[in-house]
Amino acid sequence: MPRAGVTPERVVREAALLSDEEGFDALTLSGVAQRFGVSVPSLYKHVEGLGGLRRSVARAGAQELGACLREALDGRTGPDAWRVFAHAYRRFAHAHPGRYTALQRAPLLPSGTEEAPLSPDPVSVLAEVLQGLGVAESRHVPVMRALRSALHGFVDLEANGGFGFPADVDTSFDVLVESCVRMLVPGADEHG
């Protein structure tokens, strides 16, 4: 009989918190089990091992990021929508470093599995932003990859102490965001 209060949802939620506190790479079944006061084998009633737990944390993180992005946009379109998207993405990465790391990896799926690894929520929000900017749907995938690479590169460097100069990092992020606006909407004025 499962221990009272331990459910798959609670296990994933606790694992997400643990990964934010200690890092996604430090996430173990043992660490999660300790938080519930149960043995590791009892977690197998709720998750498919460490790989399944990590996939679930990534999936939950993608859903949370998608919800954060959608809430931040709140009807905005055009260049302002991209600006809001970029800043919300960075805030999520700061607030949830373990979940953010989970999102950057294509999780290994058991062989023969057809399961989609993550929620499409963040991708669909970005697709809406690109549509509002007039980017042709045929260009969405390469543009999304470029934008994700730019945002992730900045966030990763920031998280790992890669910016050694004493200049304001927020100003540098704004330069990146505005450079993307000019790429997406040639001739667009800064914050205009």
Side-chain angles (χ1 to χ4, degrees):
M1 177 175 200
R3 181 148 182 156
V6 180
T7 65
E9 295 79 18
R10 287 197 62 219
V11 170
V12 171
R13 187 171 40 247
E14 201 61 39
L17 291 170
L18 184 61
S19 72
D20 285 342
E21 293 166 11
E22 297 183 13
F24 186 68
D25 291 329
L27 179 61
T28 63
L29 290 171
S30 175
V32 175
Q34 286 177 347
R35 292 188 118 154
F36 284 105
V38 299
S39 66
V40 171
S42 68
L43 289 182
Y44 284 94
K45 298 172 187 169
H46 306 288
V47 295
E48 295 179 16
L50 183 58
L53 181 62
R54 287 177 179 231
R55 285 190 301 277
S56 294
V57 168
R59 190 174 299 109
Q63 290 168 344
E64 291 171 30
L65 174 58
C68 288
L69 295 170
R70 196 166 297 287
E71 182 180 332
L73 286 176
D74 191 30
R76 290 179 175 88
T77 60
D80 192 42
W82 162 248
R83 292 177 184 109
V84 168
F85 179 99
H87 285 278
Y89 181 97
R90 183 176 175 223
R91 277 192 307 275
F92 181 87
H94 288 182
H96 306 290
R99 283 171 252 198
Y100 178 77
T101 299
L103 294 173
Q104 305 315 310
R105 301 183 184 160
L108 295 175
L109 298 174
S111 64
T113 302
E114 297 287 328
E115 173 186 9
L118 296 178
S119 163
D121 294 351
V123 174
S124 64
V125 175
L126 183 53
E128 291 172 22
V129 169
L130 295 180
Q131 184 178 8
L133 287 164
V135 175
E137 191 171 337
S138 63
R139 292 188 55 227
H140 279 195
V141 171
V143 171
M144 284 179 180
R145 286 178 176 159
L147 294 175
R148 178 183 177 208
S149 296
L151 290 177
H152 174 67
F154 192 97
V155 167
D156 188 59
L157 285 167
E158 183 177 24
N160 290 297
F163 297 130
F165 293 114
D168 180 36
V169 175
D170 291 337
T171 300
S172 299
F173 188 72
D174 288 337
V175 168
L176 172 72
V177 171
E178 293 308 315
S179 295
C180 292
V181 168
R182 287 189 294 281
M183 175 193 74
L184 295 166
V185 186
D189 292 337
E190 195 165 314
H191 294 287

